[in-house]
Structures are given as structure tokens and as C-alpha cells.
């Protein structure tokens, strides 16, 4: 129940809409039960051949219930699905809002496919929280109590039998189904995440797998994950069939019991024979209220398993937070410093580097060089405040970044990284990520400064040319220049170039660095690289090893 309450709080369901959906659901089922009971009464009464006027009232009631039942069901479907979709929208927005501050450092422990499955599959599963968790139980309780009370008014002994049958079908069978499905539901959610992660890796690494002849190994892992999911699905179907069979058995036995009690009462002269049929049909149709509960309990187990995976992320407190009273935003030009910084990533035993110092004065060009794994990209994460130092501090104009809003810190820097994402959209929209309101002339100017304007002019669609997923339609040099043009368009006072020459040949890399430094136009530049291209153009070189930084003057 605690988990359900937490998920309902996450969904933020409006109480009025919940009450409306429940009322319509109870009305739809109640009208159906009443229709069966009154129809049975009408048939039994008509068999006695009374004057037709004696049947007029009950005929009108039957017609009303026959029309009211589908109308109530239609309105209930509208209300309940509207409620579910509203909840889904709130959960998805809340989920994204909670995990966004965790990126990138605190999400590195999760596989990409698993994160996608949590955000799509697991969040989608929570739309059934009301449909399978709250609604059916409340509707069943209201209708079952009403049926038992109505039966008690006619024949108390039959009401006792009906109450026992409804209690058994509405509690014991769903509990059994939930227990059998609990482990399966949890394992299904994990299995779906594993299968999605394997598929994402297979699709992303397909060229390399084919090139090295290892595609069968990858496909074998996917097949194994798929077989596990199918096996769990079959077990879930077996549980569903068992629960359904038990529900039918209980409903049949209860109806027989009510009918036996009613016949005995008629033989004793305490019950009119017309009411025997009405009571039997009322008992049979009242199980329409509790028959969805075993399936709801079984599916709820899977929904709660998905909910746990969602809460596993949303419950995490971000390590990087804004101060309660932030300092004013930095003013251009800015001076950036790392002072005695020791950096360590979450869940990592040792630091990346210790007691590291770095200074970047206005207009200066500094190169940060070192072997792979020395912590060069960690410096970028510290500057963008994706990571806070364990010791020491990172400052802008002498003020610790932890005293500033994250938005103000990141507005100070424009990043062009080796892993910068290029969206599957047009050149125009990829550039406008840095400045959404940029004009056509500003976009062209950014491309010119990155030496990409002449190439774009030769394209039939110009700025509206699609670049493909992750820039797959661009060459390595074109992709890097597009990323740099985007950083230049941001017009931030500090330009961070994280391995801008990665995957480029030496002449292209040399030309790229020279063009970017010329286009920097008075900005401070931090060039992070492990290659020699462009080092002769900077004012200072800082070499980073696994312990600390050692400076050289250029």
C-alpha cells in the first residue's frame, strides 16, 4: 500500500476526476446487475400471465437499465482513460524533471537501453495505476455491498451466501493471483529492460559486430533475453488462466448456493416464486463487479514492478543542487580558476586527480593535454558543474561555482566536445540548440566562423538539410565543425573545446584548430586534447597526469 500511495502521489491524480470515474464505473456495473435481476423478475412474472398493465412499470425499468448501462460504461471509459492519460503526462514530466539533474555523472551506472525502457516502457505501465489498482477495487466494493444489501432485504440467508462468495472471489482469488504474479511481474520488468538494452547495443554496434564477425554472439544474447521474456510471459498467462478459472468456479458455486437457499425459502412459503429467478440472476451478475479483480491484481503486480524501477531513479537526490540564495550571475569578461581541486565520480573508489590547479584569464588560450584517462574531460564536467570537487574549489571571478545557479554557470561556457550530440534534424535546428531565437544571418555567421558556410551553400536544402542520426550523413570534419559552429553561436565568454580533433586526420585537425581559435574572437579558450595540433597557437599548456597538473608556458 505504501508503494501504491507513493505512485499515486507521483501521478497527482485530481480527486474530483477520480471520484467521477469511480461513480461512473460503479453505475455501469450496478446498472448491469440491476438489468439482469429485473429482467429475470420480468420473465418469471410474465410466465404467470398477469394483465399486461401489471408489467408496465417493470418493462419501463428494464428499458431504462438497458439504455443506461452502455451509456454509463461509455462515460466511465472516457473518464477513466482521461484520468490515466493525465496521470501518464504528469508522471512522465515529473520523471524527466527528477532525472535531468542527475545527468550525466549519476546516470552512468545505467545502460542506455535500460534508461530508455524505464522512461518509456515503465512509465507507460503506470498509466494502469488507476485502471488496475484503484478503480476496480473501489467499484467492486461499492457494487458488492449494494448487491448484498439488496439481497438481504429480500432473503437474509441468501445474502450471507452471496457475501461469502463475493468475499472469496474479490479477495482470496486476487490475493492468490497477485502472489503468483509478483515475482513474475518484477522479473518481466527487468527482462524487458535487459532486452531493450541488448537491442540498443546491437543496433549501435552493428557495423563493428559485422566487421569482426561477432554478430552471431550479439544475436545470441538478444535471443536469450527474448526467450527469458517469453518464458515469463507464459508463466503470467498460466497465472491468468488459473485465476480466471477460480473466479468462474466461485461464481458458479455461489449462484447455486443462492438458488438452493431461495428454493428452500419458497418451499417454506417465505419467498415468492418470482423472486427466486431474480435472486439467482442477481447473484450471478453481481460477480461482474469482482471478476476483473484477479486480472487487475496480476497486472498490478507488473505495474508496481515498473513503479519500483521508476522510483529507483526519482528517489535519488541529485548531488548537484542550486544554493538557497544564489549569488548574482557572472559578468563578462570572466576569470575561471580551479584551485587545489580533487575530483571523484560517484561510486568510484579513488579520485580522478588530486590538488589540481588551472587558471583561465579573459581572452587567454590554454591547452590542457594529457594521456587518455588522466581526467581532461573531468575538468570540463567540473567547469560545467556536472560534478563538484571533493576538495578545493572551482571559481568564476573568485566566486565558488556552488554559490551560483547552475544555469548561470553553464551560460558562461560554450562546449564543443568530441561526444557532443548531433540531433537527427536539420543543420538549422542543430545550430539553434545553442540560441533558439537566432536569425538566419546569425546562423550563417556562425557557420562562416567555423568554415562551414561554403559547404552549406552547395547543399540543395541549405540550412534545412537533414544531418541524420548523430550526424551520420556528415563527414567527421563536417560534424566537428557543426558542433563548433553551435558553440560559437552560443556567444558565451569561455569556449571549451574537448578533443575537437578526435577521429580527424592531421591536416584536417590542424586546420580545424586554427580556424576555431581565429573564430574565438577574444573569448577565453580551453583546448582539451591529447594531440599536438594547435598547441603552438595557445598562450599556455597545462599537462595533466594522474596526480596533478604541471604547467608549461607556450
Amino acid at each position: 500500500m505504501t508503494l501504491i500511495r507513493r505512485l499515486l502521489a507521483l501521478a497527482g491524480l485530481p480527486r474530483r476526476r477520480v471520484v467521477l470515474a469511480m461513480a461512473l464505473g460503479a453505475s455501469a456495473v450496478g446498472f448491469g446487475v440491476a438489468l439482469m435481476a429485473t429482467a429475470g423478475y420480468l420473465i418469471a412474472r410474465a410466465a404467470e400471465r398477469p394483465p399486461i398493465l401489471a408489467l408496465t412499470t417493470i418493462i419501463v425499468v428494464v428499458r431504462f437499465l438497458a439504455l443506461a448501462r452502455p451509456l454509463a460504461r461509455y462515460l466511465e471509459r472516457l473518464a477513466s482513460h482521461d484520468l490515466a492519460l493525465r496521470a501518464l503526462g504528469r508522471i512522465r514530466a515529473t520523471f524527466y524533471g527528477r532525472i535531468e539533474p542527475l545527468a550525466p555523472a549519476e546516470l552512468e551506472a545505467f545502460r542506455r537501453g535500460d534508461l530508455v525502457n524505464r522512461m518509456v516502457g515503465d512509465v507507460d505501465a503506470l498509466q494502469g495505476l488507476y485502471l488496475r489498482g484503484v478503480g476496480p477495487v473501489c467499484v467492486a466494493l461499492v457494487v458488492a455491498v449494494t448487491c448484498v444489501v439488496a439481497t438481504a432485504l429480500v432473503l437474509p440467508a441468501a445474502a450471507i451466501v452471496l457475501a461469502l462468495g463475493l468475499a472469496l472471489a474479490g479477495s482470496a482469488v486476487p490475493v492468490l493471483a497477485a502472489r503468483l504474479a509478483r515475482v513474475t511481474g518484477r522479473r518481466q520488468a527487468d527482462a524487458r529492460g535487459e532486452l531493450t538494452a541488448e537491442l540498443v547495443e546491437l543496433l549501435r554496434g552493428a557495423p563493428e559486430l559485422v566487421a569482426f564477425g561477432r554478430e552471431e554472439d550479439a544475436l545470441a544474447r538478444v535471443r536469450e533475453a527474448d526467450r527469458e521474456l517469453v518464458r515469463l510471459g507464459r508463466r503470467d498467462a498460466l497465472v491468468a488462466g488459473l485465476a480466471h478459472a477460480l473466479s468462474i468456479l466461485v461464481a458458479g458455486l455461489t449462484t447455486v448456493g443462492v438458488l438452493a437457499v431461495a428454493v428452500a425459502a419458497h418451499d417454506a412459503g417465505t419467498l415468492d416464486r418470482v423472486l427466486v429467478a431474480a435472486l439467482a440472476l442477481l447473484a450471478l451478475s453481481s460477480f461482474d463487479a469482482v471478476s476483473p479483480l484477479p486480472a487487475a491484481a496480476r497486472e498490478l503486480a507488473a505495474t508496481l514492478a515498473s513503479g519500483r524501477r521508476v522510483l529507483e531513479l526519482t528517489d535519488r537526490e541529485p548531488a548537484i543542487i542550486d544554493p538557497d540564495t544564489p549569488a548574482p550571475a557572472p559578468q563578462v569578461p570572466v576569470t575561471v580558476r580551479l584551485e587545489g581541486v580533487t575530483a571523484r565520480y560517484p561510486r568510484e573508489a579513488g579520485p580522478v586527480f588530486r590538488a589540481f590547479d588551472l587558471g583561465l584569464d579573459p581572452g587567454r588560450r590554454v591547452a590542457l593535454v594529457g594521456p587518455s584517462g588522466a581526467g581532461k574531460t573531468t575538468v570540463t564536467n567540473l567547469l560545467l558543474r556536472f560534478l563538484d570537487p571533493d576538495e578545493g574549489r572551482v571559481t568564476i571571478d573568485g566566486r565558488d561555482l556552488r554559490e551560483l545557479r547552475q544555469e548561470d554557470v553553464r551560460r558562461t561556457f560554450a562546449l564543443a566536445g568530441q561526444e557532443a550530440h548531433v540531433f537527427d534534424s536539420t543543420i538549422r535546428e542543430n545550430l539553434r540548440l545553442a540560441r533558439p531565437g537566432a536569425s538566419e544571418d546569425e546562423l550563417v555567421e556562425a557557420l562562416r566562423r567555423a568554415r562551414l558556410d561554403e559547404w552549406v551553400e552547395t547543399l540543395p536544402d541549405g540550412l534545412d538539410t537533414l544531418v541524420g542520426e548523430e550526424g551520420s550523413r556528415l563527414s567527421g570534419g563536417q560534424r566537428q565543425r557543426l558542433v563548433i559552429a553551435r558553440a560559437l553561436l552560443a556567444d558565451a565568454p569561455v569556449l571549451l573545446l574537448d578533443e575537437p580533433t578526435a577521429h580527424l586526420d592531421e591536416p584536417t585537425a590542424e586546420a580545424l584548430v586554427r580556424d576555431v581559435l581565429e573564430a574565438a574572437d577574444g573569448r577565453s579558450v580551453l583546448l582539451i586534447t591529447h594531440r599536438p595540433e594547435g598547441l603552438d597557437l595557445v598562450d599556455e599548456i597545462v599537462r595533466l597526469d594522474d596526480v596533478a597538473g604541471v604547467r608549461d608556458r607556450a
Side-chain angles (χ1 to χ4, degrees):
M1 290 302 295
T2 301
L3 178 59
I4 293 177
R5 283 197 296 268
R6 292 179 62 198
L7 292 174
L8 289 174
L10 183 66
L13 298 176
R15 290 187 179 181
R16 291 184 178 180
R17 292 183 180 273
V18 171
V19 172
L20 175 63
M22 288 182 182
L24 289 170
S27 298
V29 177
F31 286 150
V33 174
L35 176 61
M36 287 289 287
T38 53
Y41 179 88
L42 175 61
I43 294 171
R45 185 75 177 92
E48 296 179 336
R49 296 184 179 182
I52 190 63
L53 291 178
L55 301 176
T56 302
T57 302
I58 193 66
I59 290 173
V60 171
V61 171
V62 169
R63 287 179 175 176
F64 167 77
L65 293 172
L67 294 173
R69 180 191 180 190
L71 178 61
R73 178 60 69 191
Y74 175 74
L75 294 176
E76 184 270 336
R77 287 288 186 265
L78 285 180
S80 61
H81 284 78
D82 174 74
L83 191 64
L85 293 175
R86 287 176 184 272
L88 180 62
R90 288 189 181 91
I91 292 173
R92 197 180 300 284
T94 302
F95 180 80
Y96 181 80
R98 295 278 182 87
I99 69 170
E100 189 270 338
L102 301 176
E106 295 176 67
L107 295 180
E108 291 180 349
F110 297 90
R111 299 173 71 180
R112 289 186 180 182
D114 186 40
L115 280 175
V116 170
N117 190 63
R118 288 174 192 252
M119 188 166 189
V120 179
D122 290 333
V123 170
D124 279 350
L126 295 183
Q127 67 180 306
L129 191 61
Y130 168 80
L131 297 176
R132 302 182 183 95
V134 179
V137 175
C138 295
V139 169
L141 183 61
V142 171
V143 175
V145 170
T146 303
C147 290
V148 171
V149 171
T151 304
L153 294 175
V154 179
L155 185 61
I160 294 174
V161 176
L162 179 60
L164 290 175
L166 289 174
L168 187 62
S171 58
V173 176
V175 167
L176 176 62
R179 287 185 177 180
L180 292 175
R182 185 175 300 152
V183 175
T184 303
R186 187 181 300 115
R187 292 174 63 184
Q188 274 186 314
D190 292 338
R192 279 193 296 268
E194 180 67 20
L195 179 59
T196 303
E198 291 291 351
L199 286 171
V200 169
E201 284 198 1
L202 174 64
L203 293 174
R204 289 177 62 86
E208 287 78 10
L209 291 170
V210 173
F212 288 98
R214 301 300 299 273
E215 64 272 19
E216 285 302 321
D217 294 340
L219 288 172
R221 290 195 298 272
V222 172
R223 292 191 190 102
E224 180 59 31
D226 183 63
R227 280 194 294 269
E228 176 65 12
L229 190 59
V230 170
R231 186 183 68 81
L232 293 171
R234 287 174 177 168
R235 180 175 176 179
D236 186 58
L238 179 63
V239 172
L242 177 61
H244 187 60
L246 288 175
S247 295
I248 294 175
L249 177 62
V250 172
L253 292 176
T254 303
T255 303
V256 170
V258 170
L259 184 59
V261 171
V263 170
H266 169 65
D267 291 342
T270 58
L271 183 69
D272 189 291
R273 60 182 180 178
V274 175
L275 294 176
V276 173
L279 286 176
L281 290 175
L282 186 148
L284 180 62
S285 59
S286 64
F287 281 87
D288 289 346
V290 297
S291 59
L293 293 185
R298 180 178 53 82
E299 294 175 8
L300 181 62
T303 300
L304 294 181
S306 295
R308 290 187 187 94
R309 286 164 50 84
V310 170
L311 291 175
E312 183 183 351
L313 283 174
T314 59
D315 285 348
R316 293 193 173 207
E317 293 296 330
I320 310 298
I321 58 175
D322 286 334
D324 294 333
T325 307
Q331 300 296 315
V332 179
V334 298
T335 299
V336 180
R337 294 274 188 271
L338 277 75
E339 302 173 356
V341 170
T342 296
R344 183 176 62 86
Y345 285 99
R347 293 174 295 280
E348 293 291 335
V352 181
F353 49 70
R354 300 177 185 273
F356 178 63
D357 296 311
L358 177 69
L360 191 60
D361 295 324
R364 294 273 293 176
R365 300 173 179 180
V366 177
L368 179 63
V369 299
S372 297
K376 301 186 300 297
T377 300
T378 301
V379 173
T380 301
N381 290 337
L382 288 165
L383 292 174
L384 294 173
R385 213 180 162 216
F386 291 151
L387 181 70
D388 279 341
D390 272 10
E391 299 175 8
R393 63 178 193 156
V394 184
T395 66
I396 296 178
D397 291 337
R399 193 178 294 277
D400 196 313
L401 297 192
R402 287 168 285 203
E403 300 176 17
L404 301 168
R405 293 190 311 162
Q406 297 174 63
E407 182 180 353
D408 293 334
V409 170
R410 290 161 193 165
R411 196 177 288 136
T412 305
F413 302 97
L415 174 65
Q418 62 172 327
E419 301 296 335
H421 189 75
V422 176
F423 290 85
D424 186 9
S425 185
T426 63
I427 295 175
R428 182 191 308 276
E429 294 306 316
N430 272 282
L431 289 173
R432 280 183 171 167
L433 180 68
R435 196 195 301 175
S439 66
E440 186 92 2
D441 292 340
E442 289 171 329
L443 298 178
V444 173
E445 175 62 16
L447 291 171
R448 184 193 66 77
R449 294 162 71 185
R451 304 292 195 269
L452 204 60
D453 56 321
E454 293 182 1
W455 171 72
V456 173
E457 289 176 359
T458 64
L459 300 174
D461 295 326
L463 287 170
D464 295 317
T465 300
L466 294 171
V467 300
E469 186 175 2
E470 297 188 358
S472 59
R473 298 183 183 181
L474 307 178
S475 69
Q478 290 167 345
R479 186 185 186 282
Q480 292 294 84
R481 287 182 182 272
L482 177 61
V483 169
I484 290 169
R486 184 167 66 192
L488 293 172
L489 184 64
D491 202 26
V494 180
L495 186 60
L496 303 178
L497 304 176
D498 187 3
E499 299 286 4
T501 59
H503 316 303
L504 300 181
D505 59 79
E506 185 175 338
T508 303
E510 183 74 36
L512 178 64
V513 173
R514 188 176 301 277
D515 290 344
V516 172
L517 293 179
E518 289 177 3
D521 194 23
R523 305 187 201 190
S524 304
V525 178
L526 179 62
L527 173 63
I528 300 173
T529 184
H530 67 279
R531 297 177 57 167
E533 292 87 3
L535 296 184
D536 58 324
L537 303 175
V538 300
D539 303 312
E540 183 180 4
I541 299 174
V542 178
R543 290 189 169 86
L544 181 66
D545 58 27
D546 292 334
V547 179
V550 180
R551 278 191 176 71
D552 290 339
R553 292 288 174 184

